[in-house]
Amino acid sequence: MEAEHPCPFSTLFIPLFLCLLLSFSLPVHSDDAAVMELLKQGIINSDSLGWSGPDPCTWKNVKCDRSKQVQVIQIKGMNLQGTLPKELRDLPALTQLEVQQNQFTGPFPSFAGHGSILIIIAHNNRFTSFPADFFTGMTTLQSLTIGDNPFSPWTIPESIVSATSLKTFSASSANLTGKIPEVFGTMVSLGELKLAMNKLEGELPQTFARSSIQTLWLNGQQGNNKLNGTIVVLADMASLTSVWLHGNQFTGPIPDFSMVKKLQDVSFRDNQLTGIVPASFVNLPNLRTVSLTNNLLQGPRPTFGVNVDLDMKPGSNRFCTENSGGTCDGRVNDLLSVVEAFGYPKTLAEDWRGNDPCNKWKGITCTGEVAIEYVDFQNMGLSGTISPKFSLFTSMLRLVLSDNNLTGTIPSELTKLPNLELLDVSNNNLHGKIPSFINVLVITNGNPDIGKESGEPSPPGSVDGSKVGKIVGAVVGSVGVLLLVVAVGFCLLRLKQKGSGKLRSPHTVVIHPRHSGDQDAVKITVAGGNVNCGANDAFSPRRNGPVPGDIHFVEAGSMVISIQVLKNVTNNFSGANILGWGGFGTVYKGELHDGTKIAVKRMESGAVGEKGQTEFMSEISVLTKVRHRHLVALLGYCLDGKERLLVYEYMPQGTLSKRLFNWREARLKPLEWTRRLTIALDVARGVEYLHGLAHQSFIHRDLKPSNILLGDDMRAKVSDFGLVRLAPEGNFSVETRLAGTFGYLAPEYAETGRVTTKVDVYSFGVILMELITGRKALDDSQPEECLHLVTWFRRMHLIKGTFQKAIDPTIELDEEAVASISTVAELAGHCTAREPYQRPDMSHIVNVLSSLVELWKPAEPDAEDMYGIDLDLPLPQALKKWQAFEGTSPFLPKGDSAQTSIPTRPSGFAKSLTSEDGR
Ligand SMILES: *[C@@H]1O[C@H](CO)[C@@H](O)[C@H](O)[C@H]1NC(C)=O
Ligand SMILES: *[C@@H]1O[C@H](CO)[C@@H](O)[C@H](O)[C@H]1NC(C)=O
Ligand SMILES: *[C@@H]1O[C@H](CO)[C@@H](O)[C@H](O)[C@H]1NC(C)=O
């Protein structure tokens, strides 16, 4: 040993002897008999084993190989108590250890580095820990079954990867924690993995896709965090025959199983799986048991083969119908096809019950009970891409996908949506070129890569959509976007008129990402939360600041409504309550405790300009006085800081434009001619009244079907009058002050901004043409020469014999109708005369139309008496009562309709209050 000293035999021998002696008591090596003796001693009730004599090879349930080394120990189900010695790993020939179903306790011995062991079965005992180094160098082990032991918490060690022969790993109810290691995917032999009833968390490892696992049991994880994420990886596990995932928190859809042909037993119950159950699953040839109860599965209820033992409790998913073989409503199918691209989000699946998306489905707003008009998926934590299938929603006016994590591009299919007005995709991760939308407000700010990948510089001189966007961005400043739309459109119209023939769609406005701090100016989406009109002082007339010596002011004070009330009734300005985008702001539906509905217009901050509160209030006080049965009544307002809110009566049947142009999508009947005539007369009377007001002659400036609202009796009222007076003055001169919408603008107004009552007459003439033809003032779907209704209409009217072709084909034409229509056509022609002085007054129009209405409805009692709110109604008092009531409980829970202390409301107020919509 020590090289420096000579080494006599005796000095060599003694240490060698000692070494040999010592080796018997060291675990490094021992003779099998000694180890077996240790095993026997560790078992308290070893008598029952019948182990006697010195040679373990003669013991019951022990087998040795030819060289007398212990090979197999099988002592299962014998109620044995005690511990297993750590020296078991010193049985070099041991291939099989079966100690299951006993009451062994203490630590389970390590077999690290053992070179022979093939099978270890130790489940259903009371082992208290599992060794961390167990798998190290364990290259021979094929089967390990250790479930149902009260191990102290442990995680599957990464070293399991060295157990390259492992076919079965079964450790259910074994107090396993942590994640399922990715290394399972590299264990090519692994066929059975049972880790049920542990405390595992996290997602399925992606490496499962490369595994040859046949049996995968991960059900019933017990911790606070169960297994989660999607189960898409199963689609690639081609060997799978049995998969139990029940009792976890898996989300997302059941994947395509067409690669997983051998699947027999599937248990997915008690998770949060969403989406349509794929046919590739339902039609698997070898299915025996399927359990799907308590998930959020959507679409039609799947019909499995008769041989399948099925657990799928009725009502425990989100199937559109519980009828086997039943089909879903087309709208449901369409919606599911678009949310598929978002991975069927859980939040939507939870909320979307039944077969009618118009029945309060999250994010979906309908009109006419059937037509999906507004899809609002703002801030829903969505990922994935925007499906081109959104183009299926032909009735959709607004699509809001802002504040999510969407990737990919904006599909060009969306440009085909005929009625789309607004596409808001701000604050996502979209990239690529923005398709060319026509007549759509597209908001894309907050997408760092949007518009990139283009690289093609636009040829000098041409004005394309994106350039327009930049102009917009540059000009915007703090001015409201809606005004800008008008302003830019106006400039473009001018360009077009000067012969820049390239511009077919003058009012495409694209708002590009901006990096300055004035996001608010660009981002039109409603924020909802941060309104701070004082709730305390809102119930009384404001007495701060200079009080003008105008009696209107004091009266107007009683029309002030607190922001808290408006927040309560609009569900905190929720997107679902949006009725429309009217001139200058967003209109929300509100509902009072008694079910009375109101329309709340929240003005864009830029739209009302720099007008001070006092000035604003005096304007509003005038508007609140303008009352006529054919004008939508302004019921009150709220203002504070930059917030300005106007409260209107609600008109339940929505806009004339919907009835006239979108009736198919809304699944409504087309309007009969007599109705159209009555509506025209209603509008004419409302406008006549506006024009005739003493001192304060009002010119509407923006008459169009989307500003004409209908009540339940289909009588019409004009909305949004007078708002132009609130627009900013000064710097922006004509353009910003120009309201109006292309197609309805009188030529002199468009060219010079000169405004007389004849501007409204012109717009009214265009509306008459629309009523006759059922076509929009500007119809992009028409060939160039028919694009502009007025021009086309005049041409059709001039050429004898062609006019009948211009009449809306849905109108039933008899002799009387033809005569009536031709009179109105004549009138429409006069109204749209080139020179203002050639156009008639509204009073003349009212005369012509009322004579026609009388012709049609000679027997009807005076409709005027039957209709409308009571104009003598003491509205301010009514509002006061209402506010006083609201004021006593400003935080009344939503939907509390059980309130009994509702003050008696004036009947007219409640009866006719309602909707607004516009562009
Ligand atoms: C898991 O370990 C914890 C902590 O040691 C223990 O309290 C619990 O009883 C164990 N659970 C099981 C099922 O053995
Ligand atoms: C899954 O659960 C873990 C906690 O175990 C959590 O951190 C993670 O966000 C969850 N993932 C999903 C997709 O819910
Ligand atoms: C958004 O998506 C990207 C790409 O899929 C991902 O890397 C990122 O973590 C996601 N962000 C959030 C907040 O989910």
Side-chain angles (χ1 to χ4, degrees):
M1 312 254 186
E2 296 202 333
E4 299 101 66
H5 304 287
C7 215
F9 175 71
S10 62
T11 55
L12 256 182
F13 175 74
I14 292 165
L16 186 63
F17 175 76
L18 273 175
C19 271
L20 278 173
L21 250 186
L22 274 172
S23 74
F24 282 98
S25 58
L26 285 174
V28 183
H29 175 74
S30 95
D31 156 75
D32 283 11
V35 174
M36 291 305 284
E37 192 56 40
L38 283 174
L39 173 61
K40 185 176 163 187
Q41 282 167 17
I43 299 172
I44 296 167
N45 50 348
S46 61
D47 296 352
S48 58
L49 281 165
W51 285 359
S52 56
D55 181 4
C57 293
T58 65
W59 294 356
K60 254 179 145 176
N61 302 317
V62 177
K63 287 178 194 135
C64 297
D65 61 9
R66 284 192 203 128
S67 53
K68 289 280 183 185
Q69 289 196 292
V70 174
Q71 202 174 24
V72 175
I73 301 171
Q74 289 175 307
I75 45 173
K76 60 179 172 187
M78 302 173 81
N79 200 25
L80 301 175
Q81 293 167 23
T83 58
L84 296 186
K86 56 183 183 301
E87 289 81 1
L88 277 179
R89 74 167 159 193
D90 300 325
L91 295 172
L94 189 67
T95 58
Q96 205 165 332
L97 175 69
E98 298 183 15
V99 298
Q100 69 269 33
Q101 291 159 331
N102 285 297
Q103 291 172 45
F104 287 117
T105 181
F108 192 79
S110 173
F111 283 79
H114 197 280
S116 307
I117 192 83
L118 301 176
I119 296 169
I120 294 177
I121 307 180
H123 60 86
N124 287 89
N125 276 290
R126 294 181 185 169
F127 291 113
T128 53
S129 64
F130 193 80
D133 67 344
F134 182 87
F135 295 103
T136 313
M138 188 72 97
T139 54
T140 55
L141 187 68
Q142 292 177 3
S143 179
L144 177 66
T145 305
I146 52 170
D148 291 295
N149 276 294
F151 296 129
S152 57
W154 62 296
T155 55
I156 299 170
E158 290 283 321
S159 60
I160 195 170
V161 73
S162 57
T164 48
S165 306
L166 200 61
K167 289 182 184 146
T168 297
F169 180 37
S170 178
S172 297
S173 297
N175 230 349
L176 274 169
T177 62
K179 295 184 170 180
I180 302 171
E182 291 277 337
V183 295
F184 277 124
T186 61
M187 299 173 64
V188 289
S189 308
L190 194 66
E192 188 175 311
L193 183 60
K194 296 180 178 172
L195 305 173
M197 319 286 279
N198 282 295
K199 289 177 182 167
L200 295 171
E201 59 183 54
E203 308 192 0
L204 296 180
Q206 287 309 303
T207 55
F208 274 177
R210 299 195 296 272
S211 77
S212 40
I213 294 174
Q214 292 145 34
T215 302
L216 180 65
W217 292 0
L218 300 171
N219 48 289
Q221 300 304 321
Q222 316 263 296
N224 297 329
N225 303 316
K226 301 169 182 232
L227 292 170
N228 63 8
T230 72
I231 60 170
V232 288
V233 71
L234 299 184
D236 294 319
M237 297 178 71
S239 311
L240 211 54
T241 59
S242 174
V243 55
W244 291 4
L245 301 180
H246 52 273
N248 280 294
Q249 285 168 358
F250 288 111
T251 52
I254 297 175
D256 179 3
F257 276 144
S258 40
M259 301 271 293
V260 199
K261 287 263 185 302
K262 296 174 188 158
L263 212 48
Q264 296 178 354
D265 303 313
V266 178
S267 182
F268 290 157
R269 65 172 290 153
D270 302 312
N271 277 288
Q272 289 153 5
L273 298 180
T274 53
I276 296 170
V277 178
S280 59
F281 175 32
V282 178
N283 299 330
L284 282 172
N286 300 315
L287 276 186
R288 288 190 320 216
T289 60
V290 170
S291 177
L292 298 176
T293 295
N294 291 336
N295 276 286
L296 299 168
L297 295 167
Q298 298 163 287
R301 186 182 165 90
T303 309
F304 286 90
V306 286
N307 298 326
V308 174
D309 183 3
L310 181 65
D311 163 30
M312 192 168 69
K313 277 212 192 95
S316 72
N317 274 290
R318 292 289 184 276
F319 298 129
C320 65
T321 163
E322 288 301 340
N323 300 334
S324 203
T327 52
C328 297
D329 187 283
R331 295 163 300 159
V332 174
N333 292 332
D334 292 350
L335 278 171
L336 291 176
S337 76
V338 304
V339 298
E340 183 182 6
F342 305 141
Y344 296 110
K346 192 179 96 186
T347 52
L348 295 177
E350 275 172 334
D351 191 81
W352 289 2
R353 291 164 185 270
N355 203 9
D356 179 9
C358 292
N359 187 13
K360 296 182 180 166
W361 278 23
K362 188 171 190 169
I364 309 298
T365 307
C366 300
T367 50
E369 319 275 286
V370 283
I372 294 174
E373 199 172 68
Y374 177 28
V375 174
D376 175 13
F377 293 158
Q378 186 189 2
N379 196 13
M380 290 193 177
L382 303 181
S383 55
T385 59
I386 302 176
S387 171
K389 294 195 175 158
F390 270 115
S391 62
L392 294 169
F393 295 91
T394 51
S395 58
M396 187 160 61
L397 301 179
R398 295 181 299 275
L399 175 56
V400 177
L401 301 171
S402 52
D403 304 303
N404 286 296
N405 194 14
L406 300 177
T407 50
T409 58
I410 301 174
S412 60
E413 284 83 349
L414 300 193
T415 60
K416 294 185 199 139
L417 282 166
N419 295 302
L420 195 67
E421 293 170 355
L422 171 78
L423 173 65
D424 184 353
V425 295
S426 52
N427 302 320
N428 279 291
N429 275 318
L430 300 168
H431 69 271
K433 235 181 118 185
I434 302 167
S436 319
F437 288 91
I438 295 172
N439 272 326
V440 179
L441 183 56
V442 180
I443 309 174
T444 63
N445 55 300
N447 287 277
D449 296 327
I450 199 85
K452 289 188 186 166
E453 125 192 330
S454 61
E456 357 93 59
S458 36
S462 84
V463 180
D464 65 5
S466 63
K467 197 158 178 191
V468 172
K470 275 161 202 151
I471 297 168
V472 174
V475 175
V476 162
S478 60
V479 179
V481 170
L482 286 169
L483 277 175
L484 259 160
V485 172
V486 172
V488 171
F490 175 76
C491 297
L492 291 175
L493 186 70
R494 304 284 309 255
L495 275 177
K496 185 178 183 176
Q497 285 166 344
K498 284 180 183 152
S500 168
K502 279 175 190 164
L503 263 165
R504 183 153 183 294
S505 53
H507 26 303
T508 299
V509 176
V510 178
I511 303 206
H512 278 261
R514 310 186 59 232
H515 308 289
S516 64
D518 35 14
Q519 289 255 336
D520 291 348
V522 179
K523 192 169 174 301
I524 305 191
T525 339
V526 179
N530 54 349
V531 263
N532 58 350
C533 295
N536 302 330
D537 55 352
F539 298 111
S540 55
R542 289 174 182 272
R543 307 215 177 273
N544 313 332
V547 178
D550 182 357
I551 184 87
H552 295 322
F553 175 75
V554 177
E555 284 183 25
S558 64
M559 309 292 279
V560 174
I561 299 168
S562 101
I563 186 69
Q564 196 55 53
V565 168
L566 297 181
K567 271 180 167 181
N568 286 352
V569 301
T570 59
N571 207 351
N572 206 7
F573 301 109
S574 121
N577 283 41
I578 295 182
L579 289 170
W581 296 74
F584 308 105
T586 310
V587 186
Y588 298 83
K589 180 171 158 177
E591 189 161 341
L592 309 185
H593 304 99
D594 60 354
T596 305
K597 291 177 178 129
I598 55 170
V600 180
K601 174 167 280 187
R602 190 178 194 191
M603 314 275 283
E604 294 298 333
S605 60
V608 283
E610 300 300 310
K611 276 202 161 86
Q613 285 199 9
T614 316
E615 204 180 342
F616 181 85
M617 282 174 67
S618 76
E619 282 293 353
I620 292 294
S621 73
V622 174
L623 291 181
T624 56
K625 287 189 173 324
V626 178
R627 299 215 165 239
H628 186 271
R629 69 189 80 236
H630 295 305
L631 297 177
V632 175
L634 179 62
L635 302 177
Y637 62 93
C638 163
L639 76 170
D640 189 78
K642 284 193 168 173
E643 284 285 350
R644 274 113 171 84
L645 298 123
L646 305 178
V647 178
Y648 288 98
E649 59 176 320
Y650 175 73
M651 299 291 286
Q653 294 302 321
T655 66
L656 174 61
S657 61
K658 191 174 305 158
R659 289 281 169 169
L660 210 45
F661 308 126
N662 304 336
W663 55 272
R664 272 194 193 85
E665 293 85 358
R667 303 195 195 176
L668 300 165
K669 280 203 206 124
L671 290 172
E672 303 144 36
W673 174 245
T674 47
R675 281 253 177 271
R676 298 184 197 210
L677 206 52
T678 318
I679 289 167
L681 178 57
D682 291 347
V683 174
R685 287 196 155 125
V687 177
E688 181 193 26
Y689 170 85
L690 278 181
H691 288 179
L693 281 177
H695 306 306
Q696 308 262 4
S697 180
F698 279 86
I699 300 167
H700 190 293
R701 303 190 215 197
D702 200 11
L703 273 182
K704 55 184 173 181
S706 57
N707 274 337
I708 294 167
L709 304 177
L710 300 170
D712 275 330
D713 54 2
M714 294 304 288
R715 300 300 298 264
K717 297 190 184 205
V718 176
S719 76
D720 267 5
F721 52 88
L723 292 191
V724 168
R725 299 164 62 102
L726 302 170
E729 295 182 58
N731 295 346
F732 289 90
S733 68
V734 178
E735 289 86 349
T736 45
R737 304 193 59 195
L738 177 70
T741 304
F742 302 103
Y744 303 90
L745 280 189
E748 78 278 7
Y749 185 24
E751 280 160 20
T752 66
R754 204 171 66 230
V755 179
T756 64
T757 53
K758 295 299 176 69
V759 163
D760 287 345
V761 174
Y762 183 94
S763 307
F764 184 78
V766 180
I767 294 169
L768 289 180
M769 291 178 179
E770 292 180 313
L771 287 168
I772 292 170
T773 61
R775 286 168 66 155
K776 294 180 183 174
L778 274 184
D779 190 344
D780 295 303
S781 67
Q782 297 296 330
E784 189 78 35
E785 65 273 18
C786 313
L787 178 74
H788 188 232
L789 178 61
V790 175
T791 315
W792 176 75
F793 187 93
R794 288 169 168 280
R795 199 167 55 236
M796 296 298 278
H797 200 214
L798 271 179
I799 308 168
K800 281 274 171 263
T802 60
F803 182 63
Q804 205 134 326
K805 286 185 203 144
I807 299 173
D808 188 338
T810 67
I811 297 178
E812 276 181 43
L813 288 180
D814 55 23
E815 213 173 299
E816 273 176 307
V818 171
S820 170
I821 289 171
S822 95
T823 307
V824 176
E826 199 80 27
L827 183 63
H830 288 148
C831 291
T832 54
R834 168 92 210 161
E835 298 300 331
Y837 68 84
Q838 294 171 325
R839 298 173 206 149
D841 288 329
M842 283 321 284
S843 51
H844 173 76
I845 295 168
V846 168
N847 282 339
V848 173
L849 291 175
S850 54
S851 66
L852 288 176
V853 169
E854 274 160 29
L855 267 183
W856 275 95
K857 293 272 172 187
E860 192 179 301
D862 187 359
E864 301 292 283
D865 288 342
M866 300 167 53
Y867 170 73
I869 61 169
D870 179 1
L871 294 182
D872 302 324
L873 182 74
L875 206 47
Q877 282 92 314
L879 274 166
K880 247 186 204 161
K881 267 193 187 170
W882 163 40
Q883 289 178 30
F885 172 64
E886 286 274 345
T888 57
S889 52
F891 300 107
L892 214 68
K894 284 173 218 133
D896 185 356
S897 50
Q899 274 289 343
T900 48
S901 61
I902 301 164
T904 341
R905 53 186 161 72
S907 55
F909 179 64
K911 201 166 55 202
S912 63
L913 296 198
T914 60
S915 142
E916 193 155 13
D917 183 329
R919 315 177 174 222

